[in-house]
């Protein structure tokens, strides 16, 4: 029998299998990207999970995430799965996946970087390490590991 920790939603997005303790960081990503949306967000922290032992879950009503938001979540919570709920049913479910290049999600920490000078040049980072994820700026080679501080 399935156990529902959070009220079912009619439409929206479920971010499940977030490593325990990272839900608040996922919320920060959603908040910075979706500040203008009036949608209910539910959070479950430390839910028992077969796969992960313990996990966190975030559900956002009436929002389907943009690809760059999914990329930001993949940077911080690489084990997460994202399910799209429509009319109470799971319409789509997939693991987040870190593409080899991250475009427009982070600001380069190097203030002299060309990506911080010229508009509308988008930031661009290459993934140069996994577990832990390490990114390198495509313009100035600066490495970034502290992603939350550099969200665009
Ligand atoms: N109507 C709904 N409202 C809110 N959350 C839902 C709804 N339907 C499914 N979910 C959630 O969406 C996610 C995917 O649903 P699914 O039924 O595929 O889960 P599952 O069988 O637990 O699979 P898994 O945990 O392996 O991804 C789960 O986190 C589930 O709790
Ligand atoms: Mg499950
Ligand atoms: Zn740079």
């Amino acid at each position: 029998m399935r156990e529902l920790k959070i009220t079912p939603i009619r439409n929206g997005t479920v971010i499940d299998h977030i490593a325990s303790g990272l839900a608040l960081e996922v919320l920060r990503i959603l908040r910075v990207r979706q500040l203008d949306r009036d949608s209910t967000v539910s959070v479950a922290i430390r839910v028992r999970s077969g796969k992960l032992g313990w996990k966190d879950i975030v559900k956002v009503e009436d929002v389907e995430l943009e690809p760059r938001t999914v990329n930001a979540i993949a940077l911080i919570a690489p084990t997460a799965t994202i399910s799209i709920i429509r009319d109470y049913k799971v319409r789509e479910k997939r693991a987040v996946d870190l593409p080899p290049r991250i475009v427009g999600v982070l600001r380069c920490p190097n203030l002299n970087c060309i990506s911080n000078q010229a508009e509308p040049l988008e930031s661009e980072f290459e993934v140069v390490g996994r577990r832990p994820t390490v990114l390198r700026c495509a313009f100035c080679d600066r490495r970034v590991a502290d992603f939350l501080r550099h969200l665009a």
Side-chain angles (χ1 to χ4, degrees):
M1 197 179 104
R2 71 186 297 165
E3 189 187 353
L4 276 180
K5 294 281 182 192
I6 309 185
T7 320
I9 58 179
R10 180 196 286 273
N11 296 302
T13 301
V14 177
I15 306 156
D16 196 354
H17 308 111
I18 302 165
S20 192
L22 294 179
L24 296 179
E25 314 222 333
V26 170
L27 284 181
R28 281 187 61 186
I29 293 169
L30 296 175
R31 187 134 37 97
V32 293
R33 298 195 171 274
Q34 257 136 27
L35 210 51
D36 51 342
R37 310 293 290 263
D38 292 322
S39 46
T40 300
V41 178
S42 324
V43 182
I45 293 177
R46 248 171 271 126
V47 177
R48 255 253 164 262
S49 158
K51 259 181 268 177
L52 299 170
W54 299 94
K55 66 175 180 181
D56 294 352
I57 309 174
V58 173
K59 301 192 185 191
V60 194
E61 282 182 53
D62 301 319
V63 167
E64 295 187 10
L65 304 179
E66 293 165 19
R68 70 178 50 187
T69 305
V70 175
N71 289 344
I73 292 170
L75 281 174
I76 274 126
T79 60
T81 57
I82 298 203
S83 301
I84 309 291
I85 310 296
R86 293 191 195 129
D87 208 12
Y88 294 105
K89 294 196 182 69
V90 179
R91 292 299 175 191
E92 238 177 78
K93 178 166 69 176
R94 60 196 171 78
V96 299
D97 149 58
L98 198 58
R101 285 177 173 269
I102 309 286
V103 177
V105 171
L106 302 169
R107 276 175 289 105
C108 182
N110 171 9
L111 294 179
N112 294 321
C113 178
I114 188 169
S115 68
N116 285 322
Q117 318 284 321
E119 297 281 351
L121 186 56
E122 281 201 298
S123 72
E124 184 171 331
F125 292 85
E126 249 179 275
V127 177
V128 292
R130 292 181 190 250
R131 293 164 198 239
T133 304
V134 180
L135 303 182
R136 184 176 63 202
C137 176
F139 300 104
C140 74
D141 286 346
R142 178 71 66 93
R143 279 156 204 263
V144 194
D146 187 1
F147 309 122
L148 272 178
R149 286 190 51 211
H150 297 105
L151 288 171

